[in-house]
Amino acid sequence: MGMMPNTVEKLLESALVAELVVLKANGEPVVHPLIPLWDGERVYMTSSVLFSKKLERIKRNPRVSFSITDPVAVGGLMARCTIQGDARIIEDDIHTSWERVLQLWRAKEPGIDFFLGKRVALPLFFERSMIEITPRRVLWWEDGDTSKPPQVRELQEVAA
Amino acid sequence: MKGSMNIDAALFAKLGSYPHIVLSWVDDDGYPTQTAATFRGDEACGVVVVDPTGLAVPTDRVVNATASHIRPQPGTGYDERRYVSLSGTVSRDGDAIVLTPTRAWGWDEADVPFFEYSERSNAQAQQYMLALSEEQGREVKPRLSAAWTFILATRLPFLTATFVPVLLGILVAAYHGSFNWWLALLTIVGGAAIHIGLNVANDVFDSLSGADDANVNPTQFSGGSRVIQYGLVSLSQMQAISIAAYAVGISVGLILLVVAWSPALLAIGIAGLLLSVFYTAPPLKLVHRGLGEITTALGFGPIMVLGAYVVQTGALAWEPFVASLPVAILIALILYVNEIPDAMSDAAVGKRTLVVRWSRSTVTTMFLMSALAAFAALVGGVVTGVLPAPTLLALLALPLVFEIYRGIRAYYTSPYKLMATMGKNVQLHAVFGLLLVVGYVVAIAADRLWDSAPGVLT
């Protein structure tokens, strides 16, 4: 087991979008672009109940992965990564539970406070579930050149 | 466009705007994995040719290929969200990977604004919260404070449409020498209650007919309050609110009738109530027959102004009727402009409003002509000596007409861009009405001054 590589941490801290992959009931992968929020241990993403299919799919199969690949969305960093992990949905109170990661969200999207101020006009958008991803394995390309094999680090034992 | 996309030239053109694609598949250990890659679309063969990747992409399972874009906006967040997803199988062509897509979907906020995207997903949200309720053994629904829910459900800010004509009727009566505080207050309460009953009933009937559900472009001025669609208030609760509001309105009306009995007031009260109820209620459903504007004009124009006037004076008169005409036209124009973004969903459920019936250019021209007619009615009233000269103050609202006209012309087919214009249109009615009211206050004050002036002046 190892620590998250520095390069990947920088990507996680700066990325405005990650391509989250969840699995459909028939096992096919589906991609959902979402903002990744990194607290130094786990990755969080939030999803409105409006766009909840991904949540249903994660509940059925918690094995997920996400990649950070767009240099434009990471402030010009050239590295790329893919992180595999186990996801858990936190939605004990969809009205407030997700506010635990509001600080991390605000750091990437300061404009969220404007929309929060208009919460009354977007009542369903702010009824949200939190996706908590425990990273298991990280694959990364220091120079972003994905035509080469990635470096791989196991972070935790892969669930059976 | 959110949802399924055809695998055609348009799709390949869209794909061509992305610098790279992300391939995703499920590894042998059951976890998905991904790699970015450069690519080119081969429109003729209907395939995507992906350059070699360091990770081996399997050819025996479904692979997803997604291209996405976001433009960072330092200090706020981002914009220009869009993505295209393809699903299919891959084969090898030398080192290159060839993806043959069988399905494609995506979203581009330039095509489908985020608010519309959200509205289109409303059913999914309701379904999810229902499933979550079963899972958690308690009702899971969106939360909003009781005060905000009430304001939303009743569309309280639109009560200016009631306050303007009722105040006007009261002030014309005061100008004629009749004024009673308690009757004035009761008239305002009764009018507001009937208006709330109408607003809520409108939501109930539009939900029952499917008009509000079919509307994926609601704005703060159109498409109803949405509290039923969002699951904030149930249909039966809305019915109860509407009935309660009508009950209050009718009770106040009966008290006014007892205190200030007049056959004219009885007739006005009954007419107002019927117009309010049958605005959307069957069997008349006046708004479905292109009669919404005239119903609104009558209800929030002559009926309210004359009603408030008769309560104070006990008799009908020409002046409050003439004063009510421009207010009637401008309130009808609020409904008229608000119907523009609703036109498609209204047409889908057979709600044949004027905007549904007329062409874009007719709708736009008729707005300008009607708004100018409202100002002409005011000038005509003053020139003929029916209205006092200070009411000409309301002409100060004229520039708004042209701003609104330009907004309608520019944003006729863009509901969210039209919102500012719809807001200005509500302002036009309120500003004009309040200036008219101020005009009467000035006229009353001038009269009092004249009456109390030293003899030398008289």
Side-chain angles (χ1 to χ4, degrees):
Chain A
M1 290 204 283
M3 301 281 287
M4 187 66 78
N6 279 340
T7 304
V8 178
E9 278 209 312
K10 281 182 190 154
L11 287 173
L12 285 167
E13 281 160 5
S14 58
L16 284 177
V17 69
E19 295 95 9
L20 172 72
V21 180
V22 300
L23 301 177
K24 289 165 67 175
N26 65 5
E28 286 180 19
V30 187
V31 173
H32 300 274
L34 290 175
I35 305 178
L37 307 172
W38 168 244
D39 74 350
E41 189 178 353
R42 292 189 172 86
V43 177
Y44 295 90
M45 297 179 181
T46 70
S47 169
S48 162
V49 292
L50 287 162
F51 316 114
S52 49
K53 276 189 183 157
K54 65 179 92 60
L55 302 171
E56 291 166 1
R57 287 168 178 156
I58 290 171
K59 285 179 187 176
R60 203 164 38 227
N61 187 342
R63 294 180 175 192
V64 300
S65 71
F66 64 90
S67 60
I68 298 171
T69 61
D70 183 4
V72 174
V74 288
L77 297 174
M78 293 310 293
R80 284 171 162 155
C81 70
T82 292
I83 294 174
Q84 297 173 315
D86 298 302
R88 181 171 77 100
I89 305 298
I90 300 171
E91 53 189 1
D92 36 301
D93 181 353
I94 56 172
H95 195 67
T96 57
S97 292
W98 60 270
E99 289 177 357
R100 272 190 271 164
V101 292
L102 185 56
Q103 265 312 107
L104 294 169
W105 189 353
R106 187 178 283 132
K108 289 193 173 179
E109 189 184 356
I112 197 62
D113 286 324
F114 171 79
F115 292 107
L116 258 176
K118 296 194 178 302
R119 189 170 185 160
V120 63
L122 301 159
L124 290 177
F125 180 73
F126 286 109
E127 301 299 327
R128 308 184 74 83
S129 299
M130 230 176 12
I131 304 167
E132 180 190 73
I133 301 171
T134 304
R136 299 286 176 181
R137 181 187 294 132
V138 58
L139 300 82
W140 79 103
W141 294 262
E142 278 293 337
D143 58 1
D145 182 359
T146 52
S147 66
K148 294 183 211 157
Q151 298 182 64
V152 180
R153 184 175 292 176
E154 300 292 337
L155 300 176
Q156 291 185 40
E157 287 295 322
V158 174
Chain B
M1 187 72 189
K2 164 66 183 163
S4 294
M5 299 168 83
N6 293 324
I7 298 168
D8 55 13
L11 173 71
F12 282 99
K14 269 186 182 291
L15 271 177
S17 68
Y18 296 93
H20 73 276
I21 207 160
V22 176
L23 298 177
S24 311
W25 64 92
V26 181
D27 250 346
D28 290 337
D29 62 3
Y31 281 84
T33 194
Q34 298 156 269
T35 183
T38 47
F39 74 103
R40 66 181 171 84
D42 185 339
E43 184 189 327
C45 298
V47 298
V48 175
V49 182
V50 182
D51 295 327
T53 58
L55 275 180
V57 182
T59 55
D60 61 348
R61 61 200 75 175
V62 172
V63 171
N64 176 288
T66 296
S68 69
H69 170 81
I70 202 168
R71 183 174 69 171
Q73 289 290 355
T76 54
Y78 47 79
D79 61 4
E80 290 187 356
R81 288 168 293 181
R82 59 176 183 264
Y83 75 93
V84 174
S85 257
L86 311 170
S87 181
T89 52
V90 300
S91 57
R92 294 266 166 202
D93 183 8
D95 285 342
I97 301 157
V98 179
L99 173 80
T100 307
T102 52
R103 284 193 316 116
W105 64 97
W107 172 54
D108 184 339
E109 70 177 329
D111 297 335
V112 179
F114 182 73
F115 291 109
E116 181 180 336
Y117 183 24
S118 297
E119 286 298 331
R120 286 181 186 277
S121 306
N122 188 36
Q124 191 184 319
Q126 301 306 326
Q127 199 183 330
Y128 188 75
M129 286 188 289
L130 196 64
L132 202 55
S133 299
E134 283 174 24
E135 201 179 300
Q136 299 190 348
R138 63 183 176 88
E139 189 183 26
V140 176
K141 55 183 265 187
R143 287 213 304 271
L144 213 56
S145 71
W148 269 117
T149 306
F150 182 76
I151 290 169
L152 277 188
T154 56
R155 286 183 265 170
L156 219 50
F158 286 95
L159 287 193
T160 53
T162 288
F163 296 148
V164 164
V166 170
L167 277 176
L168 186 58
I170 292 167
L171 279 161
V172 179
Y175 183 56
H176 290 178
S178 301
F179 181 71
N180 177 302
W181 271 107
W182 284 106
L183 290 179
L185 197 63
L186 271 178
T187 310
I188 290 169
V189 170
I194 295 289
H195 189 174
I196 288 173
L198 163 67
N199 280 352
V200 179
N202 182 241
D203 272 3
V204 168
F205 288 111
D206 276 354
S207 291
L208 289 173
S209 74
D212 280 352
D213 292 300
N215 193 336
V216 291
N217 291 304
T219 66
Q220 63 192 104
F221 304 104
S222 62
S225 73
R226 316 297 290 173
V227 293
I228 298 172
Q229 282 65 39
Y230 295 160
L232 289 163
V233 185
S234 70
L235 186 70
S236 57
Q237 285 173 320
M238 288 292 272
Q239 285 167 329
I241 294 171
S242 179
I243 290 167
Y246 272 122
V248 170
I250 291 168
S251 303
V252 169
L254 289 174
I255 293 169
L256 289 173
L257 266 176
V258 170
V259 176
W261 164 255
S262 111
L265 187 58
L266 178 64
I268 288 169
I270 291 173
L273 187 65
L274 292 178
L275 285 179
S276 166
V277 170
F278 292 115
Y279 177 73
T280 41
L284 298 182
K285 297 201 282 189
L286 296 163
V287 70
H288 286 240
R289 301 169 195 274
L291 297 172
E293 285 78 2
I294 189 76
T295 307
T296 304
L298 283 172
F300 290 96
I303 285 180
M304 282 209 175
V305 178
L306 283 171
Y309 180 84
V310 173
V311 165
Q312 296 288 336
T313 64
L316 287 168
W318 277 111
E319 185 172 344
F321 175 74
V322 172
S324 76
L325 293 178
V327 174
I329 295 171
L330 295 180
I331 190 68
L333 287 178
I334 291 182
L335 176 71
Y336 181 74
V337 173
N338 288 358
E339 283 169 351
I340 294 173
D342 291 350
M344 278 178 71
S345 54
D346 282 347
V349 296
K351 196 172 170 182
R352 304 272 297 151
T353 61
L354 292 180
V355 173
V356 169
R357 287 162 195 259
W358 291 345
S359 70
R360 175 178 177 166
S361 65
T362 306
V363 169
T364 311
T365 307
M366 283 304 288
F367 167 82
L368 184 62
M369 290 175 66
S370 306
L372 292 178
F375 285 82
L378 170 66
V379 173
V382 173
V383 168
T384 55
V386 178
L387 304 180
T391 57
L392 287 175
L393 265 176
L395 292 178
L396 290 172
L398 188 60
L400 282 169
V401 171
F402 300 100
E403 271 188 64
I404 297 161
Y405 174 66
R406 282 193 296 271
I408 295 172
R409 285 185 59 166
Y411 304 122
Y412 195 88
T413 55
S414 308
Y416 299 109
K417 289 181 181 167
L418 191 64
M419 268 173 65
T421 299
M422 291 191 281
K424 280 249 157 41
N425 196 31
V426 173
Q427 257 180 38
L428 171 63
H429 169 265
V431 170
F432 181 97
L434 290 175
L435 287 171
L436 202 53
V437 163
V438 170
Y440 265 102
V441 171
V442 171
I444 292 166
D447 261 14
R448 297 268 160 89
L449 275 175
W450 187 259
D451 288 345
S452 62
V456 70
L457 289 176
T458 57

